[in-house]
Amino acid sequence: MSEALLLRLRPRDLASGRPYAERDERTPAWHDEFALGLWHGWVRPALRPLDIAGAGARKVVRLARALEVEMAALDEQQLRQRAALLRHAMRRSRFGVDAVAAFFALVREVAGRVLGKRHYDSQLHAGWLLLHGSLAEMATGEGKTFAATLPVCAAALVGLPVHVVTVNDYLAARDAEAMAPLYAFFGLRCGAIVHELTRAQRREVYAGDIAYCSNKELTFDYLRDRTALGDRASPLHRALAEGGGMSDNPATVLRGLTFALVDEADSVFIDEARTPLILSASLPPGARGALVDWALAFARGLQPARDFDLEPAQPRVRLNDTGRAAVEAALDSAAAPPDVGLRACTEAVTQALAALWLYRRDQQYVVVDGKVQIVDESTGRVMADRAWERGLHQMIEAKEGLVLSGERVTLARITYQRFFRRYLRLAGMTGTATEVAAEIGRVYGLPVARVPLHRPSLALRARPRCLPDADARWAAVLASVQAQAQQQGRPVLVGTRTVQSSEHLSALLAAAGIEHVVLNAKHDRVEAEVIARAGGSGVVTVATNMAGRGTDIALGEGVAGRGGLHVILTEFHDSARIDRQLFGRAARQGDPGSGEAIVALDDELFRLHAPLLSALLQRLLAGREPHAALLWLLRRAAQSSAESRHRAARAASLKQDRRLAAMLSFSGRGE
């Protein structure tokens, strides 16, 4: 571990009894969490106009700019020699301003020669913030991926194993390949962790200086390490087992949780924090198949309100007294599954009701190659090898008439909230973090700092429209696509919330004779090809949230003169951050671009999270479009309610995960 990093850590910060370096996890007292929330939610935003955090970053930019001529005069051998000197200077000064500024100037010069592009001043600004453990909010299109190479090079050069965390395998492989020549100049080995790699291949990648990986793959590798070690989790047991020849291969693939730089940090830290990551093993279907079939058939005969209560906003379903009595009575019939008790039958029926009433095909999941694949709403992508727990996944498979997979038993589990807190040094970057700065500060201890724009934004935003119903909304979307793409020759990106909506719009476009391409969880294999063409003149792309993060749509020839990319949002999401991500695809880095929201008054967001206000407006407006102020009020009420529910779910998930971890620790089973 780097001496510079050790000097920043107190002995009690280091986890004892762990196979490699990671921060000790202590549950903060309630008053500490309250103080952190107060500081990050109220005090820091009040101090933001003073931009105290940016003072060091501005000095780094100024000093680096002054060294440009000097660095440009050095040949490659001299640049490498200067990097070696700065490596020691950064370690001695604990990443001090002067040493980091000189090193950033050197990296900028090397990048210009090796990659053919140089870091902007705004990227140097972000690099300083990231190196010192902040969450940098950079506007979409400002080059977060390239900015990350500055702190990554600095940290890896002084000896810290660096994990650059992205939201999917595609981005991890793409970024690692693109930036590898820059790292190689400094003698740093870089690789990417993707789903297909074996344990041995993963160990080799992690053994390098820099590993690009998705948050899911990284966390599961950590859980597999903990599971593989078992009773040999302590350094002493591990050394005895491996040093004594008891194990042909090391049990772990990771080298420790030293430094993580998380891209699209709000997606990882917030949107995906509600659901714990569970490492599980599949059991043969066995007798479970009979229980699933019985529960599904029985649940189809139950009626909402009479036998069970639906809470779609949670989402949750609960059997009432009548429903529980019906289940109990059914156990006495000949059709009841054998050797199954009342509790197991009640839980199975509840899961069957959820599968029938709460989980819909092409919304929460898709069926691909005869398998149910979960779709992440925040990213629009399929979550490979993920399954709902407690039999829900098998219920959905049975509902779709598929072969049942084996029931899963939990081997290890952890939430992102607990996992990323274990890193000795953590940083993040995203285009949308201000709305959740308080929660990120309270849970992860990361301050959120905004990075100035490289060029002034030329984005144009039309007044949002709210049509009476979905049919009127789709008609308005078709008219806008025709006006922008066919009449003006501009590329158009239409964002939908679900796979089902994207396919419905695709059918309407085809009927209208409008050529287009669709990008959703069913077509993720052609993502790179679709994105590469999306900026061409007159190209129409219909996409779920897959196009909302980590994608850079380059404008085709002559497109900038026509106004650039036009983005149409067809339904507001639970979080305004996700809406901002979609609009951020247009007008990137000073390019022209525009966006508009065309939604419907009967959208799911309004119906579930602002039902009274939505119903009132439908009655009062009688088919007319609401005034912009009324739409703002409706959207604000619905998204605030949805985000409040999600925030409570994340807090409950973290609390439950800590409680289970404490129970397992007490029993000696580890994670």
Side-chain angles (χ1 to χ4, degrees):
M1 190 187 306
S2 164
E3 177 186 357
L5 181 59
L6 281 174
L7 290 174
R8 287 181 172 269
L9 293 171
R10 296 163 293 183
R12 66 187 180 91
D13 287 329
L14 294 173
S16 59
R18 299 290 174 87
Y20 38 59
E22 56 182 306
R23 188 181 294 275
D24 190 21
E25 183 188 8
R26 299 180 305 277
T27 302
W30 70 267
H31 47 78
D32 291 332
E33 288 200 358
F34 175 78
L36 283 171
L38 185 65
W39 169 255
H40 290 284
W42 297 92
V43 179
R44 282 191 62 87
L47 296 176
R48 189 168 289 142
L50 302 178
D51 198 15
I52 298 173
R58 289 191 295 272
K59 185 176 181 181
V60 165
V61 172
R62 186 171 64 253
L63 293 175
R65 193 184 298 140
L67 291 170
E68 283 189 8
V69 176
E70 179 182 345
M71 295 297 176
L74 301 178
D75 59 28
E76 289 191 5
Q77 183 62 28
Q78 291 172 323
L79 286 172
R80 290 190 174 93
Q81 292 174 350
R82 180 68 66 89
L85 295 175
L86 289 173
R87 173 194 177 193
H88 297 296
M90 287 190 293
R91 292 191 63 176
R92 286 194 303 270
S93 65
R94 308 179 195 174
F95 295 123
V97 171
D98 293 336
V100 170
F103 183 71
F104 281 7
L106 189 151
V107 175
R108 175 152 68 176
E109 177 62 30
V110 172
R113 300 184 188 186
V114 174
L115 300 179
K117 57 181 180 179
R118 297 167 58 84
H119 296 87
Y120 306 135
D121 287 352
S122 60
Q123 291 169 329
L124 299 181
H125 188 114
W128 169 263
L129 296 174
L130 294 169
L131 189 58
H132 286 268
S134 292
L135 197 158
E137 182 178 273
M138 300 179 69
T140 50
E142 289 292 295
K144 294 187 292 294
T145 302
F146 193 39
T149 59
L150 294 162
V152 167
C153 281
L157 198 64
V158 303
L160 304 183
V162 179
H163 298 155
V164 185
V165 184
T166 65
V167 293
N168 58 68
D169 287 358
Y170 163 71
L171 295 177
R174 182 199 71 179
D175 296 346
E177 181 181 4
M179 303 305 164
L182 175 60
Y183 300 136
F185 183 92
F186 297 100
L188 302 173
R189 187 156 62 93
C190 167
I193 299 291
V194 294
H195 183 67
E196 296 79 15
L197 296 187
T198 64
R199 289 277 288 176
Q201 292 171 325
R202 290 167 186 266
R203 186 178 298 112
E204 183 178 355
V205 174
Y206 286 125
D209 303 287
I210 304 158
Y212 279 78
C213 48
S214 71
N215 48 297
K216 179 180 72 71
E217 294 294 334
L218 173 64
T219 309
F220 277 124
D221 281 337
Y222 177 80
L223 289 177
R224 292 187 189 101
D225 278 0
R226 302 292 300 170
T227 304
L229 286 169
D231 293 336
R232 298 181 288 115
S234 73
L236 176 59
H237 283 96
R238 182 167 173 257
L240 288 174
E242 295 172 6
M246 297 171 62
S247 175
D248 295 331
N249 296 306
T252 61
V253 298
L254 290 164
R255 288 198 291 152
L257 306 184
T258 307
F259 180 33
L261 197 162
V262 183
D263 193 8
E264 305 297 354
D266 65 317
S267 176
V268 177
F269 292 161
I270 300 297
D271 297 330
E272 298 190 49
R274 295 170 53 193
T275 305
L277 282 87
I278 299 175
L279 183 65
S280 59
S282 293
L283 299 177
R288 178 74 183 179
L291 177 60
V292 168
D293 292 339
W294 175 84
L296 204 58
F298 184 82
R300 286 194 170 101
L302 300 180
Q303 295 296 322
R306 187 193 71 185
D307 301 306
F308 61 92
D309 300 317
L310 276 176
E311 300 178 37
Q314 295 297 350
R316 184 168 59 195
V317 61
R318 290 178 174 178
L319 282 170
N320 56 29
D321 292 340
T322 305
R324 284 191 292 270
V327 174
E328 188 172 357
L331 289 182
D332 297 329
S333 67
D339 302 323
V340 180
L342 175 61
R343 182 175 179 180
C345 284
T346 301
E347 182 176 0
V349 170
T350 303
Q351 296 289 45
L353 288 170
L356 292 171
W357 291 89
L358 296 177
Y359 292 85
R360 296 183 291 275
R361 185 171 179 169
D362 293 339
Q363 293 191 29
Q364 288 86 1
Y365 66 92
V366 295
V367 177
V368 180
D369 298 329
K371 294 182 179 179
V372 170
Q373 301 278 357
I374 301 175
V375 176
D376 183 356
E377 182 184 344
S378 65
T379 64
R381 301 177 186 277
V382 163
M383 296 190 287
D385 291 340
R386 293 283 289 274
W388 287 292
E389 59 179 335
R390 301 176 63 185
L392 175 60
H393 204 86
Q394 287 72 33
M395 289 294 175
I396 293 176
E397 289 172 333
K399 182 184 77 169
E400 296 293 343
L402 306 175
V403 177
L404 297 190
S405 59
E407 186 178 0
R408 306 236 176 161
V409 292
T410 299
L411 302 177
R413 58 177 283 154
I414 197 170
T415 60
Y416 286 134
Q417 294 159 302
R418 289 183 58 229
F419 173 68
F420 282 105
R421 286 164 59 97
R422 296 183 176 185
Y423 271 91
L424 303 180
R425 184 184 291 265
L426 180 65
M429 52 187 181
T430 184
T432 49
T434 303
E435 296 92 337
V436 288
E439 185 174 355
I440 288 175
R442 183 179 67 255
V443 176
Y444 301 95
L446 289 180
V448 174
R450 287 177 176 170
V451 177
L453 294 173
H454 172 57
R455 296 191 183 100
S457 175
L458 300 180
L460 299 175
R461 186 77 61 84
R463 183 182 68 85
R465 299 182 60 191
C466 183
L467 283 301
D469 53 40
D471 291 338
R473 181 255 312 281
W474 294 127
V477 169
L478 283 177
S480 180
V481 169
Q482 290 172 328
Q484 300 293 337
Q486 294 186 327
Q487 298 175 17
Q488 299 185 34
R490 299 175 62 186
V492 176
L493 173 65
V494 186
T496 64
R497 186 169 175 173
T498 65
V499 174
Q500 185 181 55
S501 295
S502 68
E503 294 183 340
H504 178 70
L505 177 58
S506 175
L508 295 177
L509 290 169
I514 301 176
E515 293 187 6
H516 63 283
V517 290
V518 178
L519 181 61
N520 59 34
K522 294 182 178 180
H523 307 97
D524 56 351
R525 296 174 185 173
V526 296
E527 177 178 2
E529 181 182 351
V530 170
I531 294 299
R533 299 200 311 262
S537 176
V539 174
V540 178
T541 306
V542 178
T544 57
N545 292 337
M546 290 178 64
R549 288 187 183 271
T551 55
D552 188 5
I553 299 177
L555 299 183
E557 184 177 356
V559 169
R562 299 187 181 98
L565 177 69
H566 183 69
V567 174
I568 304 174
L569 181 146
T570 60
E571 188 173 356
F572 292 127
H573 295 80
D574 287 358
S575 172
R577 292 178 295 104
I578 302 178
D579 298 337
R580 280 212 288 150
Q581 286 282 351
L582 179 65
F583 283 126
R585 299 310 100 192
R588 298 161 69 90
Q589 294 189 7
D591 286 334
S594 58
E596 63 178 327
I598 305 176
V599 301
L601 201 54
D602 59 356
D603 281 344
E604 185 177 75
L605 174 70
F606 302 146
R607 288 188 288 103
L608 293 184
H609 298 288
L612 296 180
L613 182 57
S614 175
L616 178 63
L617 289 179
Q618 285 180 317
R619 177 173 297 181
L620 294 178
L621 294 172
R624 301 190 307 273
E625 290 190 33
H627 187 273
L630 287 177
L631 176 58
W632 178 88
L633 179 63
L634 177 62
R635 178 190 181 189
R636 178 79 174 178
Q639 290 184 329
S640 296
S641 174
E643 290 177 340
S644 178
R645 292 177 187 270
H646 296 329
R647 188 163 52 249
R650 290 190 292 270
S653 177
L654 177 58
K655 185 176 180 179
Q656 181 187 24
D657 199 33
R658 284 172 173 168
R659 184 170 60 251
L660 289 174
M663 293 170 59
L664 291 173
S665 177
F666 179 77
S667 67
R669 291 175 56 192
E671 206 65 64

